[in-house]
Structure formats: structure tokens, C-alpha cells
Amino acid sequence: MSEEARTSIHGQWSSRMVFVLAATGSAVGLGNIWKFPYITGENGGGAFVLVYLVCIAVIGIPVMMAETMLGRRGRQSPINTMSALAAEEGRPPIWSLLGWLGVVAGFLILSYYSVIAGWALSYVFRSASGMFVGATADGVNSIFTSLVSDPEKLLAWHSIFMVATMIVVARGVKHGIEKAVSYLMPSLFVLLIVLVFYAMSTGHFSDGLSFLFSPDFSKLGWQSILVAMGHAFFTLSLGMGAIMVYGSYLPKDTSIAKASMMIAVADTVVALMAGMAIFPIVFANNLQPDVGSGLIFQILPIAFGQMEAGVLIGTLFFILLVFAAWSSAISLIEPAVAWMVENKGVNRIYAAVWCGGLTWFVGLGTVFSFNLWAKDTWSLELFGHFLFKDINFFETLEGFTANIMLPLGGLFIAIFAGWLMKTQSTKNELNTTENGYNVWQILIRYVAPTAVMIVFLKAIGVFN
Ligand code: PHE
């Protein structure tokens, strides 16, 4: 097929702006508001944030451009895109495995992502019912504990969220995804600003800022650097085909470089604002920043409980968090759904139900990680010992997907786009300025792959 004639059978975005919105919808999610603050808390703050920002700039943006470019050139699901492009560039068909790696990573991530989104969903109702009004840190903590220790509740919320995701995916690219993101992302941004203003009024804003921004490198080990790099991939939705599949719906004439930068900046700003909202409240209440995955659920309600109009603001906040998670969840499952539609000749509804059902089932492991299979049980025996660490099923899955699978996916994307595609092909597709192209090529050929490899090898303890 000639380059010009290629279109995706799944449809196309109406404009570049819509692509930017959808990709930002994918990027901005629980990763920014739930995960970034808690891993920053666990990894000591400033130095970790700095490494994360460097990873966004020198690995994240070039890999995002590469992924979008591959998607737009291949115009199919990541699996088929990779085999088509491999054939076109005269490379072995085994490259379609890269698409498979992404599909599997998407399933695994969504399986726990949906459970956490379920927490957010349940907090909408907790907040609306006034449960947080005047609550102390201990009170908020026990509300959280009683939620996660109840597998039935978690299962119910997880199921609702999965069904909601399947519905949007079943409706397709234009009608489902486009609509949802255009209103929700801007509203979330406004509410985060409100929260940052509240954080300023706690009297501990500067403590929060110095935790986030003054780097203490003595706290930074290779393990933390790996987490920072993994999170750069996670938060930008890279390394698993989400951005590739969104790129496949991108009109031919849009600038991939500009779009990628806009997405990365928006995503980073949201994460930093979440940090600026959360840490001052942590310090104002004499709490510890390193409590782990419950952090925002144990911290933000304290603020909502004390604020004027806190019921309204808190409820809105959790609603928007759910929407942010929703627009990310869609992109986690879209590569698999697009592949099923292309290869199995089924319609989107059927594909969405199958993929969603399977993900839901794997999600049970995360549901039980906080109660039945919490620490000191067989799952710890099995998974914990397997990875030589004292962690449960959810933590194992989260670490493995974000810190291993995504960077690995990104590494191979960089190798393929940087080394195995003809310069003429990538130049045509990226269609940017001469200088811009040269910078991208250096980053994607040398900087990104080397950085990923060094961090991997260091983190697993080779050459210590
Ligand atoms: N970027 C999303 C977030 O930060 C998560 C995600 C990862 C989505 C990978 C798609 C692919 O919440």
C-alpha cells in the first residue's frame, strides 16, 4: 500500500487537537495523582523527582514520538503494525512480538489499575455522604483501611469500573473516547489548582515544596532510579502500544513532535501539581510521606474535611480522578481490542467484552492483595520469594509491569525506530525540521537505549 493511501479501519481522530487530548487522557491518570506522589514519598523526594524529570525529557519524549510515528505509519493494532513495518523495512517478522509484549503489559496493568480506580470511585460516594467532614488523620485512615480490607467491596467497585471501560471501548474511537476527554481533562486541572491553593493555606507549603524539589542524592539508589524511569514510561503511557494505537488514528499531516511535547508537558504539570497539593497536607498533619499506595486516599480527605465546601470539592475531585483513570484505562485495552477486531473478524463489542472479562479476572489478584492475600500468605511465598522481596501480588505486578515490561518495550521501540527503520522512512513520517530530526535521532539511537540498559543492569546488580 502506498503511504498516502493508508488509513485505519477503526477510524481517525478529527484533528491534531483531538489526538493530543486523547493521548493526554491516556497519559494523565492514576499515574499522576495516585502513583507519582506515593512513589516520590517512598523514594525520598527531590532527587527522585529530578531523575524522573530527566527521564521524561531524554527518554519519554523521543520514545513517544517514535511510538506515535510507528502507529501512524502502520495504521493498525500494535501487533499488526509491528509485523507490517518489519516486513516493509526488511526486518524479521519476530518484531510483532513487541506488539504482543505491549498487549500483555496492557492487560496486566489494567488489571490492577481498575482496582485502584475502584477505590477512587468508592471515594466519590464517601465524600458526597459527608464522611470526611471534620475527620482526623486517624479517622480518614480507618475509612481507607475498612475499604481495602473488604474484598467484596473492592470487587464490586473493580467490576463497575471494568464495565464502564468496556462500554467506551465498545463504542469506538470517535464516539467514545473523543467525547469523554474533551471536557474532563480541563476540569481536573482546575480542581487541582484549587487543591494547591488549599495546600498553600496549611502553613506547610514550603516543606512540601522542599520535599519535592530539593534533591538529596544520598537517598537515591539504583532501585529508586529504576522506579523513576519506569514511572516516566508509565505516566506517559509508553512502551506498551497505547500511544502507538492512538497514533494509528492520527491524520497524516499533523506534527508528531509538537503533539508529543504538548502531551509530555501537560502530564508533567499535572503530576507536579498533585505533589504540591499532597505533601504540604502530609506535613501539616505530622504524617509520613512513605505510607505507600494508600497515600492520596489517606491524605486528601483530611483536607476536604477541613475546607469550606469540602464535600463538594472532594466529591468533584474524586469524580474527575475516576474520569482521568477511565480515559487511561481505555488506552490500556485498546491495543488488544483493535487486534481482535483486525484478526478475529469480530466486532468491537465482542472484543471489548472478551478483553475486559479477562482483565477483570486477573484483577482479582489485586483485589485480594489488600486482604485475603495480604502479607505473610501463600502469594507472598510464591511471588515474594520469586522476586526475593517482601511484596504482595499487586506490588509484584505493579513493579514488574512498570519497571520491567514498559522500559523493555520502550527499549525495543527505540531500537526499531532508531536503528532498523530507514532514515528516509522515519524522516518522512516525522516530517519535522532538520535540527529537530537530528536531535530526535541522537536521543532515540543512543541516549534512550543506553539509559534504559544502564539503569536495568545497575538495578539488578550487574557491575556493582
Ligand atoms: N499513563 C497512565 C497513568 O499515568 C497509565 C497508563 C500506562 C496508560 C500505560 C496507558 C498505558 O495513569
PDB file of all heavy atoms in Angstrom, residues 425-449:
ATOM      1  N   SER A 425      12.484   6.665   5.880  1.00  0.00           N
ATOM      2  CA  SER A 425      11.133   6.370   6.374  1.00  0.00           C
ATOM      3  C   SER A 425      10.792   7.212   7.592  1.00  0.00           C
ATOM      4  O   SER A 425       9.721   7.816   7.668  1.00  0.00           O
ATOM      5  CB  SER A 425      10.977   4.898   6.781  1.00  0.00           C
ATOM      6  OG  SER A 425      11.507   4.031   5.826  1.00  0.00           O
ATOM      7  N   THR A 426      11.716   7.262   8.551  1.00  0.00           N
ATOM      8  CA  THR A 426      11.384   7.998   9.779  1.00  0.00           C
ATOM      9  C   THR A 426      11.346   9.499   9.499  1.00  0.00           C
ATOM     10  O   THR A 426      10.523  10.216  10.047  1.00  0.00           O
ATOM     11  CB  THR A 426      12.398   7.690  10.905  1.00  0.00           C
ATOM     12  OG1 THR A 426      13.719   7.873  10.421  1.00  0.00           O
ATOM     13  CG2 THR A 426      12.258   6.282  11.401  1.00  0.00           C
ATOM     14  N   LYS A 427      12.200   9.934   8.602  1.00  0.00           N
ATOM     15  CA  LYS A 427      12.205  11.354   8.258  1.00  0.00           C
ATOM     16  C   LYS A 427      10.880  11.772   7.626  1.00  0.00           C
ATOM     17  O   LYS A 427      10.277  12.775   8.003  1.00  0.00           O
ATOM     18  CB  LYS A 427      13.344  11.639   7.276  1.00  0.00           C
ATOM     19  CG  LYS A 427      14.184  12.810   7.712  1.00  0.00           C
ATOM     20  CD  LYS A 427      15.280  13.116   6.721  1.00  0.00           C
ATOM     21  CE  LYS A 427      16.415  13.781   7.480  1.00  0.00           C
ATOM     22  NZ  LYS A 427      17.674  13.739   6.819  1.00  0.00           N
ATOM     23  N   ASN A 428      10.432  10.966   6.696  1.00  0.00           N
ATOM     24  CA  ASN A 428       9.139  11.247   6.049  1.00  0.00           C
ATOM     25  C   ASN A 428       8.013  11.301   7.048  1.00  0.00           C
ATOM     26  O   ASN A 428       7.151  12.166   7.001  1.00  0.00           O
ATOM     27  CB  ASN A 428       8.780  10.119   5.071  1.00  0.00           C
ATOM     28  CG  ASN A 428       9.420  10.341   3.743  1.00  0.00           C
ATOM     29  OD1 ASN A 428      10.000  11.401   3.501  1.00  0.00           O
ATOM     30  ND2 ASN A 428       9.344   9.342   2.883  1.00  0.00           N
ATOM     31  N   GLU A 429       8.011  10.312   7.920  1.00  0.00           N
ATOM     32  CA  GLU A 429       6.867  10.180   8.814  1.00  0.00           C
ATOM     33  C   GLU A 429       6.882  11.281   9.879  1.00  0.00           C
ATOM     34  O   GLU A 429       5.848  11.839  10.204  1.00  0.00           O
ATOM     35  CB  GLU A 429       6.881   8.791   9.457  1.00  0.00           C
ATOM     36  CG  GLU A 429       5.555   8.362  10.039  1.00  0.00           C
ATOM     37  CD  GLU A 429       4.457   8.188   8.986  1.00  0.00           C
ATOM     38  OE1 GLU A 429       4.731   7.577   7.938  1.00  0.00           O
ATOM     39  OE2 GLU A 429       3.348   8.685   9.217  1.00  0.00           O
ATOM     40  N   LEU A 430       8.054  11.589  10.414  1.00  0.00           N
ATOM     41  CA  LEU A 430       8.098  12.617  11.455  1.00  0.00           C
ATOM     42  C   LEU A 430       7.938  14.011  10.859  1.00  0.00           C
ATOM     43  O   LEU A 430       7.341  14.894  11.476  1.00  0.00           O
ATOM     44  CB  LEU A 430       9.413  12.551  12.236  1.00  0.00           C
ATOM     45  CG  LEU A 430       9.508  11.403  13.228  1.00  0.00           C
ATOM     46  CD1 LEU A 430      10.883  11.385  13.874  1.00  0.00           C
ATOM     47  CD2 LEU A 430       8.437  11.514  14.303  1.00  0.00           C
ATOM     48  N   ASN A 431       8.484  14.188   9.672  1.00  0.00           N
ATOM     49  CA  ASN A 431       8.270  15.411   8.919  1.00  0.00           C
ATOM     50  C   ASN A 431       8.492  16.675   9.763  1.00  0.00           C
ATOM     51  O   ASN A 431       7.628  17.543   9.847  1.00  0.00           O
ATOM     52  CB  ASN A 431       6.839  15.375   8.369  1.00  0.00           C
ATOM     53  CG  ASN A 431       6.638  16.437   7.311  1.00  0.00           C
ATOM     54  OD1 ASN A 431       7.623  16.976   6.787  1.00  0.00           O
ATOM     55  ND2 ASN A 431       5.391  16.744   7.013  1.00  0.00           N
ATOM     56  N   THR A 432       9.661  16.725  10.411  1.00  0.00           N
ATOM     57  CA  THR A 432       9.952  17.879  11.253  1.00  0.00           C
ATOM     58  C   THR A 432      11.168  18.629  10.683  1.00  0.00           C
ATOM     59  O   THR A 432      11.643  18.285   9.609  1.00  0.00           O
ATOM     60  CB  THR A 432      10.170  17.420  12.713  1.00  0.00           C
ATOM     61  OG1 THR A 432      10.515  18.523  13.495  1.00  0.00           O
ATOM     62  CG2 THR A 432      11.250  16.356  12.839  1.00  0.00           C
ATOM     63  N   THR A 433      11.668  19.620  11.393  1.00  0.00           N
ATOM     64  CA  THR A 433      12.820  20.364  10.871  1.00  0.00           C
ATOM     65  C   THR A 433      14.076  19.507  10.899  1.00  0.00           C
ATOM     66  O   THR A 433      14.150  18.521  11.640  1.00  0.00           O
ATOM     67  CB  THR A 433      13.112  21.594  11.748  1.00  0.00           C
ATOM     68  OG1 THR A 433      13.372  21.126  13.076  1.00  0.00           O
ATOM     69  CG2 THR A 433      11.930  22.552  11.785  1.00  0.00           C
ATOM     70  N   GLU A 434      15.052  19.905  10.132  1.00  0.00           N
ATOM     71  CA  GLU A 434      16.301  19.157  10.052  1.00  0.00           C
ATOM     72  C   GLU A 434      16.945  19.003  11.447  1.00  0.00           C
ATOM     73  O   GLU A 434      17.315  17.904  11.866  1.00  0.00           O
ATOM     74  CB  GLU A 434      17.250  19.903   9.090  1.00  0.00           C
ATOM     75  CG  GLU A 434      18.502  19.145   8.694  1.00  0.00           C
ATOM     76  CD  GLU A 434      18.216  17.880   7.868  1.00  0.00           C
ATOM     77  OE1 GLU A 434      17.199  17.843   7.150  1.00  0.00           O
ATOM     78  OE2 GLU A 434      19.013  16.933   7.983  1.00  0.00           O
ATOM     79  N   ASN A 435      17.018  20.126  12.160  1.00  0.00           N
ATOM     80  CA  ASN A 435      17.618  20.076  13.502  1.00  0.00           C
ATOM     81  C   ASN A 435      16.816  19.219  14.455  1.00  0.00           C
ATOM     82  O   ASN A 435      17.361  18.428  15.213  1.00  0.00           O
ATOM     83  CB  ASN A 435      17.721  21.486  14.097  1.00  0.00           C
ATOM     84  CG  ASN A 435      18.870  22.250  13.483  1.00  0.00           C
ATOM     85  OD1 ASN A 435      19.787  21.631  12.928  1.00  0.00           O
ATOM     86  ND2 ASN A 435      18.797  23.568  13.548  1.00  0.00           N
ATOM     87  N   GLY A 436      15.506  19.406  14.417  1.00  0.00           N
ATOM     88  CA  GLY A 436      14.629  18.627  15.279  1.00  0.00           C
ATOM     89  C   GLY A 436      14.832  17.145  15.021  1.00  0.00           C
ATOM     90  O   GLY A 436      14.960  16.340  15.954  1.00  0.00           O
ATOM     91  N   TYR A 437      14.909  16.788  13.749  1.00  0.00           N
ATOM     92  CA  TYR A 437      15.083  15.379  13.413  1.00  0.00           C
ATOM     93  C   TYR A 437      16.412  14.857  13.948  1.00  0.00           C
ATOM     94  O   TYR A 437      16.471  13.773  14.526  1.00  0.00           O
ATOM     95  CB  TYR A 437      15.002  15.158  11.902  1.00  0.00           C
ATOM     96  CG  TYR A 437      15.146  13.693  11.554  1.00  0.00           C
ATOM     97  CD1 TYR A 437      14.043  12.845  11.617  1.00  0.00           C
ATOM     98  CD2 TYR A 437      16.391  13.149  11.242  1.00  0.00           C
ATOM     99  CE1 TYR A 437      14.175  11.489  11.353  1.00  0.00           C
ATOM    100  CE2 TYR A 437      16.530  11.801  10.977  1.00  0.00           C
ATOM    101  CZ  TYR A 437      15.416  10.976  11.031  1.00  0.00           C
ATOM    102  OH  TYR A 437      15.556   9.631  10.784  1.00  0.00           O
ATOM    103  N   ASN A 438      17.459  15.656  13.794  1.00  0.00           N
ATOM    104  CA  ASN A 438      18.772  15.193  14.262  1.00  0.00           C
ATOM    105  C   ASN A 438      18.801  14.980  15.771  1.00  0.00           C
ATOM    106  O   ASN A 438      19.366  13.999  16.251  1.00  0.00           O
ATOM    107  CB  ASN A 438      19.856  16.187  13.857  1.00  0.00           C
ATOM    108  CG  ASN A 438      20.041  16.179  12.349  1.00  0.00           C
ATOM    109  OD1 ASN A 438      19.667  15.209  11.675  1.00  0.00           O
ATOM    110  ND2 ASN A 438      20.586  17.268  11.805  1.00  0.00           N
ATOM    111  N   VAL A 439      18.195  15.893  16.497  1.00  0.00           N
ATOM    112  CA  VAL A 439      18.158  15.725  17.953  1.00  0.00           C
ATOM    113  C   VAL A 439      17.399  14.448  18.295  1.00  0.00           C
ATOM    114  O   VAL A 439      17.838  13.632  19.108  1.00  0.00           O
ATOM    115  CB  VAL A 439      17.476  16.947  18.625  1.00  0.00           C
ATOM    116  CG1 VAL A 439      17.267  16.680  20.114  1.00  0.00           C
ATOM    117  CG2 VAL A 439      18.292  18.199  18.414  1.00  0.00           C
ATOM    118  N   TRP A 440      16.259  14.271  17.659  1.00  0.00           N
ATOM    119  CA  TRP A 440      15.464  13.068  17.932  1.00  0.00           C
ATOM    120  C   TRP A 440      16.288  11.814  17.650  1.00  0.00           C
ATOM    121  O   TRP A 440      16.309  10.871  18.429  1.00  0.00           O
ATOM    122  CB  TRP A 440      14.192  13.049  17.067  1.00  0.00           C
ATOM    123  CG  TRP A 440      13.420  11.778  17.219  1.00  0.00           C
ATOM    124  CD1 TRP A 440      12.586  11.432  18.241  1.00  0.00           C
ATOM    125  CD2 TRP A 440      13.442  10.649  16.323  1.00  0.00           C
ATOM    126  NE1 TRP A 440      12.083  10.163  18.041  1.00  0.00           N
ATOM    127  CE2 TRP A 440      12.598   9.661  16.873  1.00  0.00           C
ATOM    128  CE3 TRP A 440      14.091  10.383  15.103  1.00  0.00           C
ATOM    129  CZ2 TRP A 440      12.370   8.424  16.247  1.00  0.00           C
ATOM    130  CZ3 TRP A 440      13.875   9.145  14.495  1.00  0.00           C
ATOM    131  CH2 TRP A 440      13.026   8.187  15.068  1.00  0.00           C
ATOM    132  N   GLN A 441      17.007  11.839  16.516  1.00  0.00           N
ATOM    133  CA  GLN A 441      17.739  10.628  16.140  1.00  0.00           C
ATOM    134  C   GLN A 441      18.839  10.292  17.158  1.00  0.00           C
ATOM    135  O   GLN A 441      19.038   9.125  17.495  1.00  0.00           O
ATOM    136  CB  GLN A 441      18.330  10.781  14.741  1.00  0.00           C
ATOM    137  CG  GLN A 441      18.583   9.423  14.123  1.00  0.00           C
ATOM    138  CD  GLN A 441      19.099   9.511  12.708  1.00  0.00           C
ATOM    139  OE1 GLN A 441      19.894  10.391  12.386  1.00  0.00           O
ATOM    140  NE2 GLN A 441      18.640   8.600  11.865  1.00  0.00           N
ATOM    141  N   ILE A 442      19.502  11.319  17.661  1.00  0.00           N
ATOM    142  CA  ILE A 442      20.541  11.054  18.665  1.00  0.00           C
ATOM    143  C   ILE A 442      19.910  10.482  19.940  1.00  0.00           C
ATOM    144  O   ILE A 442      20.388   9.504  20.510  1.00  0.00           O
ATOM    145  CB  ILE A 442      21.330  12.347  18.979  1.00  0.00           C
ATOM    146  CG1 ILE A 442      22.164  12.716  17.752  1.00  0.00           C
ATOM    147  CG2 ILE A 442      22.228  12.152  20.196  1.00  0.00           C
ATOM    148  CD1 ILE A 442      22.794  14.090  17.842  1.00  0.00           C
ATOM    149  N   LEU A 443      18.796  11.096  20.350  1.00  0.00           N
ATOM    150  CA  LEU A 443      18.149  10.617  21.576  1.00  0.00           C
ATOM    151  C   LEU A 443      17.649   9.180  21.414  1.00  0.00           C
ATOM    152  O   LEU A 443      17.839   8.339  22.293  1.00  0.00           O
ATOM    153  CB  LEU A 443      16.987  11.544  21.960  1.00  0.00           C
ATOM    154  CG  LEU A 443      17.391  12.948  22.433  1.00  0.00           C
ATOM    155  CD1 LEU A 443      16.167  13.828  22.626  1.00  0.00           C
ATOM    156  CD2 LEU A 443      18.187  12.868  23.734  1.00  0.00           C
ATOM    157  N   ILE A 444      17.031   8.891  20.297  1.00  0.00           N
ATOM    158  CA  ILE A 444      16.405   7.573  20.142  1.00  0.00           C
ATOM    159  C   ILE A 444      17.442   6.488  19.848  1.00  0.00           C
ATOM    160  O   ILE A 444      17.276   5.333  20.202  1.00  0.00           O
ATOM    161  CB  ILE A 444      15.296   7.616  19.047  1.00  0.00           C
ATOM    162  CG1 ILE A 444      14.239   6.538  19.304  1.00  0.00           C
ATOM    163  CG2 ILE A 444      15.840   7.413  17.642  1.00  0.00           C
ATOM    164  CD1 ILE A 444      13.296   6.834  20.383  1.00  0.00           C
ATOM    165  N   ARG A 445      18.546   6.880  19.197  1.00  0.00           N
ATOM    166  CA  ARG A 445      19.561   5.873  18.877  1.00  0.00           C
ATOM    167  C   ARG A 445      20.496   5.591  20.046  1.00  0.00           C
ATOM    168  O   ARG A 445      20.834   4.447  20.308  1.00  0.00           O
ATOM    169  CB  ARG A 445      20.435   6.363  17.732  1.00  0.00           C
ATOM    170  CG  ARG A 445      19.795   6.236  16.405  1.00  0.00           C
ATOM    171  CD  ARG A 445      20.845   6.414  15.343  1.00  0.00           C
ATOM    172  NE  ARG A 445      20.381   5.769  14.145  1.00  0.00           N
ATOM    173  CZ  ARG A 445      21.065   5.751  13.019  1.00  0.00           C
ATOM    174  NH1 ARG A 445      22.234   6.345  12.945  1.00  0.00           N
ATOM    175  NH2 ARG A 445      20.578   5.138  11.971  1.00  0.00           N
ATOM    176  N   TYR A 446      20.939   6.670  20.679  1.00  0.00           N
ATOM    177  CA  TYR A 446      21.995   6.495  21.675  1.00  0.00           C
ATOM    178  C   TYR A 446      21.495   6.692  23.100  1.00  0.00           C
ATOM    179  O   TYR A 446      21.665   5.830  23.946  1.00  0.00           O
ATOM    180  CB  TYR A 446      23.156   7.451  21.391  1.00  0.00           C
ATOM    181  CG  TYR A 446      23.695   7.291  19.991  1.00  0.00           C
ATOM    182  CD1 TYR A 446      23.344   8.186  18.987  1.00  0.00           C
ATOM    183  CD2 TYR A 446      24.519   6.214  19.671  1.00  0.00           C
ATOM    184  CE1 TYR A 446      23.814   8.018  17.687  1.00  0.00           C
ATOM    185  CE2 TYR A 446      24.996   6.039  18.382  1.00  0.00           C
ATOM    186  CZ  TYR A 446      24.636   6.951  17.390  1.00  0.00           C
ATOM    187  OH  TYR A 446      25.092   6.769  16.115  1.00  0.00           O
ATOM    188  N   VAL A 447      20.891   7.844  23.338  1.00  0.00           N
ATOM    189  CA  VAL A 447      20.620   8.217  24.723  1.00  0.00           C
ATOM    190  C   VAL A 447      19.577   7.285  25.367  1.00  0.00           C
ATOM    191  O   VAL A 447      19.832   6.685  26.416  1.00  0.00           O
ATOM    192  CB  VAL A 447      20.165   9.691  24.814  1.00  0.00           C
ATOM    193  CG1 VAL A 447      19.893  10.072  26.255  1.00  0.00           C
ATOM    194  CG2 VAL A 447      21.234  10.585  24.212  1.00  0.00           C
ATOM    195  N   ALA A 448      18.412   7.156  24.725  1.00  0.00           N
ATOM    196  CA  ALA A 448      17.348   6.367  25.354  1.00  0.00           C
ATOM    197  C   ALA A 448      17.765   4.906  25.568  1.00  0.00           C
ATOM    198  O   ALA A 448      17.661   4.394  26.693  1.00  0.00           O
ATOM    199  CB  ALA A 448      16.062   6.476  24.542  1.00  0.00           C
ATOM    200  N   PRO A 449      18.271   4.204  24.545  1.00  0.00           N
ATOM    201  CA  PRO A 449      18.624   2.799  24.779  1.00  0.00           C
ATOM    202  C   PRO A 449      19.726   2.630  25.830  1.00  0.00           C
ATOM    203  O   PRO A 449      19.642   1.747  26.683  1.00  0.00           O
ATOM    204  CB  PRO A 449      19.127   2.306  23.420  1.00  0.00           C
ATOM    205  CG  PRO A 449      18.641   3.288  22.424  1.00  0.00           C
ATOM    206  CD  PRO A 449      18.463   4.593  23.143  1.00  0.00           C
TER     207      PRO A 449
END
